[in-house]
Amino acid sequence: MNRQQLADAHRGVRLLTGHLRGEGESLDSAISAGRYSEAEAEAMADPLVNVAIILARQLRAALDVEIGVALQRARALTKPELSEYSRLASALIATVISGEHPEPIEVGPRVVAVGAQEIAAGAAKALADHLGEHPNAVVARLRRQLQEQGEGVQLSDKDGVELQSAKYAEDSEMRQSRLDTALALVKEINNGAAVPIHNRGVDLHERNEIVGRDCYEGLSRIAVTAAALGYGVVQLVGVNNHYPAYALLRQLVETEFVLWKFGHDPSTIPGWLNSDRDERERTWKPSKIYRNADNDYRQKDYSGHCEMGGHPTPLGTLIASGERSAVAEASVLGDLIGHLRDSWGHIVSTADALDSKWIQSEPCVSIDARQRVADAHAKWSRIDKYGYSVSYFADPL
């Protein structure tokens, strides 16, 4: 489960809670208030599908049955008039659990959202019946489990994931798409962001705006570092040297931490740029950043990167030996794309904040550069199914 899927699952829990209690945020309240537009349905579909998947897997484990039987048990507790909706959602859920990339559903998000809500509610009720408790207690426990991110709240079965991921990893079109996208993002972070951000700092320096210069210069230096690390990962993958590629990827994660902090408070950038080692140890270490209560990262995400390529580990030595090289390549490039994409977002939002503060008439990161990144990412998302099959935060299963 990646970060977005986790956020969706948390919202799915809120929506399901509202449905079961008949109050609060829910699909039902949106429909009754006349707010159930296509956009609203799309925003609710993934959260409800995710929570339905998790509860279906938990029901399967509790009953010790196959997933098809668990889904039948959940469907038996759904509304008869919505049986076609729940049937479609059930098929989608089974596909995702198997680790396979689901094909687009032609009926659209309205039907998917309603069907997923029915399956989620049915699975919660079936679990409650089996455990002798109230469905609300099942959902409340799920909220706590999402914080821990154990096996019980993943979206796909590991065996199925490994089977599908191997197939997707070796697909020639998907392999090329990963490489092309990673290179496109590296190029835009360097040429479309780091260079113009640096140039804007130079302009401010010439006007004796030293603090402004430091803000842009600090952001530019971290951006160019992210681009250099990203390109290094691609070069190492190109010669099938995946273990050090993971080590560089961990370094990229550290630059992403700093970029997040810049975006969260751009006034900290001059302090970083002019810091000494002691100051960076106190303020800028990854462990300091990922423990901030309001950040987007978790220690598990960072330690996972250390496990793959930061420290000598049994898993790391397998990667170093070249075992399952196609999977290692797909994993490191897919992970790289995700971190470059997130880094780009932090860079752009921080640059925009600086442009606003220093009253710049034009954004230093151009609209064209932003569109190229969006287009490259959208094309990759359409082609590559590997990332979907192994998604577990930023780390491969």
Side-chain angles (χ1 to χ4, degrees), residues 197 200 214-220 222-223 255-270 342-358 364-365 370:
I197 290 170
R200 182 145 292 176
D214 284 356
C215 285
Y216 282 100
E217 181 63 15
L219 178 60
S220 173
I222 293 294
T255 68
E256 188 184 341
F257 284 176
V258 175
L259 286 168
W260 172 84
K261 190 159 184 173
F262 283 180
H264 185 67
D265 185 0
S267 69
T268 63
I269 301 176
D342 290 347
S343 296
W344 170 263
H346 296 316
I347 293 166
V348 170
S349 64
T350 306
D352 287 347
L354 295 177
D355 288 342
S356 176
K357 178 177 177 59
W358 299 100
C364 57
V365 180
R370 300 174 199 226

Side-chain angles (χ1 to χ4, degrees), residues 5 8 19 47-48 73 86 91 107 125 151 157 173 236 252 264 280 325 343 368 397:
Q5 290 166 338
D8 284 342
H19 170 66
L48 287 167
R73 188 71 65 89
S86 62
V107 293
K125 292 171 185 175
E151 168 61 22
D157 293 339
E173 183 183 16
L236 288 166
L252 177 61
H264 185 67
R280 289 192 298 277
S325 60
S343 296
D368 287 346
L397 283 170

